[in-house]
Amino acid sequence: MVGLKNKLFSGVGTVALTLTAGGAANVAAAGDADAQWLWDRDRNVSVTQRPRPEYDALGVRAGAFIWRPALNLGVEFNDNIFATATNEESDTIFVVNPSVTVDTTWSRHAFNAFADVRRNEYADFGSESTTDYSLGAGGRLDIHRGTSVGASASHSRGTEPRTSAGAAGFAAEPIRFDTTTFAIGAEHTFNRLRIRGGYDFAKSDYDDALLIGGGVASQDFRDQDMHRFTLRGDWAISPDTAVFARYRHNQRDFRLAPPAVATNRDSDGYTFDVGVEFDLGGLARGEIGVGYMKQEYDSPAFGSVDGVSIDGLLEWFPTQLTTFTFTARRGIEDSGIAASAGYIGTSVSAQADHELLRNVILTARVDYANDEYQGIDREDERWGATVQATYLMNRNVGLTASYSHLDQSSSGTAGPRDFSTNRFMLGVVLQY
């Protein structure tokens, strides 16, 4: 459901259980009626996903389509906008964020699209002001019972946070980038066996960074095309539990090669994991996968990186009014630092959502992340915490108030930047 509450909850990174083939294209099949009872995963409903008919926006119906326009207005105070260890600068940021989504009401097949624009206007440091946008569409074709295919595409213009590694903390203006994605996937269910496969493509293009004090830090070394292929099989051992095996192969092709850059950053890698996905009525649901990952770099200067991979999400429902969400991930990511091709990123989070009243939701979240860079002596450790209150006035208006804290410490000769930030935010969402 796309509703007012989802727009409000998005500020704290609410996690929803989503199973996709290929990663970006949701191709959930309509299902074979005789076997669908083995794959039903709607025994639990989280606090943030729960329908609230008296507060959910109705949208605008036009034939078989439902349009949902929204306007998010906010004001944020940040006590360290440049994420520096000393000489911290604070500012007030005004946010204007119109958006629209469209979905179909078809009984079979599906189509959806979205468009989103966000303006961040800094009161004192106007050079930090940015306008970001994203748009995309996706659909699913139900071929017959138990078989479907899906595809999606999107394009976005974004801003790299000042808290990112690389040149982001030393640039005179925020680093901008463009991302274009495409995904296609297919799914078929054979009674207890479900097979899914997909292909994802992502193209990234970064603008150069103008440095404080003069000079330019080229970001062309980060421009890349990434291809990923996924194959997954699930076996239902009961109506509420299935085990799975999954193989993901990726190919990362960077635009620049020597002599334009010092080293070739191209690489190929894979992740193979096994796990379990479950939905235990009245208790918990989730998906946990553990396996092995490896990334081989074309340049001998970078060699290869391997280790244990983790992808996990668990939602626990102690009562119908409270949901605890836990996530964990360990994977190999591309680096924004020219001297390091990548890093092993490990992240965990815990979030609690409590329905104090039917229209008052309280949220608390704690995050931890560790980035271990390859090829250079650097390791980043981050702790974050967020508290948020959401008040749904009616189906068209909602209010939020939140506070978040982020603390990063970097160790090693190439990791000199330690910082902390505090952010206070107030927002209102208007949605039809």
Side-chain angles (χ1 to χ4, degrees):
M1 176 183 299
V2 178
L4 178 63
K5 60 182 183 296
N6 289 347
K7 188 75 171 177
L8 294 167
F9 294 151
S10 64
V12 293
T14 301
V15 179
L17 179 63
T18 304
L19 304 180
T20 61
N26 190 333
V27 293
D32 189 321
D34 296 333
Q36 188 61 34
W37 63 279
L38 290 169
W39 301 101
D40 286 339
R41 297 293 183 262
D42 57 359
R43 296 172 178 83
N44 294 289
V45 179
S46 69
V47 168
T48 60
Q49 294 175 326
R50 178 170 301 127
R52 295 176 173 85
E54 65 274 38
Y55 297 107
D56 292 337
L58 297 177
V60 180
R61 289 182 176 267
F65 296 90
I66 300 179
W67 296 81
R68 294 186 172 92
L71 177 62
N72 189 348
L73 302 173
V75 59
E76 171 189 328
F77 174 79
N78 187 325
D79 71 347
N80 189 6
I81 61 172
F82 296 108
T84 57
T86 59
N87 302 319
E88 299 176 356
E89 297 283 0
S90 62
D91 206 347
T92 300
I93 304 102
F94 299 95
V95 178
V96 180
N97 177 205
S99 65
V100 63
T101 64
V102 58
D103 298 280
T104 58
T105 59
W106 305 331
S107 59
R108 296 183 68 247
H109 317 305
F111 173 81
N112 61 80
F114 69 91
D116 186 286
V117 178
R118 180 185 175 101
R119 174 65 179 178
N120 295 316
E121 185 68 35
Y122 284 70
D124 297 327
F125 294 86
S127 61
E128 293 296 296
S129 299
T130 57
T131 300
D132 299 334
Y133 68 86
S134 61
L135 53 94
R140 188 193 72 242
L141 178 64
D142 298 323
I143 298 174
H144 58 74
R145 291 188 303 175
T147 304
S148 64
V149 296
S152 67
S154 68
H155 177 76
S156 64
R157 174 72 168 170
T159 304
E160 188 169 32
R162 288 289 190 173
T163 54
S164 298
F170 309 102
E173 296 180 356
I175 298 175
R176 309 299 305 282
F177 62 92
D178 293 282
T179 303
T180 302
T181 68
F182 170 77
I184 187 169
E187 174 181 302
H188 184 70
T189 302
F190 309 85
N191 197 13
R192 288 183 177 270
L193 176 64
R194 173 170 289 177
I195 300 294
R196 284 176 276 188
Y199 164 73
D200 293 90
F201 169 79
K203 182 181 184 66
S204 302
D205 186 0
Y206 286 81
D207 294 351
D208 291 342
L210 301 176
L211 296 178
I212 298 173
V216 177
S218 174
Q219 299 297 294
D220 290 344
F221 72 93
R222 304 171 66 181
D223 298 346
Q224 66 159 299
D225 293 341
M226 180 173 178
H227 308 264
R228 187 178 70 166
F229 302 87
T230 301
L231 181 62
R232 169 172 169 161
D234 293 66
W235 180 262
I237 59 178
S238 73
D240 51 27
T241 305
V243 295
F244 69 85
R246 174 174 53 188
Y247 176 79
R248 289 169 286 180
H249 176 83
N250 70 81
Q251 177 180 319
R252 308 177 188 189
D253 298 325
F254 287 82
R255 190 177 76 182
L256 297 185
V261 290
T263 52
N264 189 343
R265 292 165 62 90
D266 291 353
S267 67
D268 290 270
Y270 68 90
T271 301
F272 176 75
D273 60 356
V274 295
V276 59
E277 63 95 8
F278 53 89
D279 189 353
L280 310 177
L283 180 61
R285 69 178 175 184
E287 178 176 302
I288 301 171
V290 178
Y292 175 76
M293 60 184 179
K294 185 173 184 178
Q295 199 73 22
E296 291 273 3
Y297 295 92
D298 290 1
S299 171
F302 297 133
S304 64
V305 182
D306 62 354
V308 175
S309 70
I310 300 173
D311 279 292
L313 182 151
L314 171 65
E315 290 179 299
W316 174 42
F317 308 93
T319 72
Q320 291 188 359
L321 300 180
T322 303
T323 302
F324 289 95
T325 303
F326 306 92
T327 66
R329 186 180 187 279
R330 189 172 192 265
I332 301 172
E333 310 293 343
D334 290 318
S335 169
I337 303 172
S340 174
Y343 62 89
I344 296 178
T346 304
S347 61
V348 295
S349 69
Q351 178 171 317
D353 296 292
H354 179 69
E355 188 177 291
L356 184 65
L357 298 173
R358 183 68 171 169
N359 61 332
V360 177
I361 312 300
L362 304 179
T363 299
R365 180 183 176 98
V366 177
D367 296 273
Y368 170 79
N370 179 278
D371 298 337
E372 184 180 348
Y373 286 84
Q374 308 299 305
I376 60 174
D377 183 19
R378 174 168 178 166
E379 184 175 346
D380 294 345
E381 186 176 66
R382 291 184 301 279
W383 286 94
T386 299
V387 292
Q388 176 172 301
T390 300
Y391 172 49
L392 306 175
M393 296 181 62
N394 51 52
R395 67 174 71 252
N396 302 119
V397 182
L399 305 174
T400 61
S402 66
Y403 163 74
S404 62
H405 174 81
L406 174 65
D407 184 271
Q408 174 174 301
S409 59
S410 297
S411 60
T413 57
R417 192 160 67 111
D418 298 347
F419 63 85
S420 64
T421 64
N422 294 282
R423 300 165 59 202
F424 301 86
M425 290 161 281
L426 295 173
V428 57
V429 176
L430 309 175
Q431 181 164 311
Y432 189 79

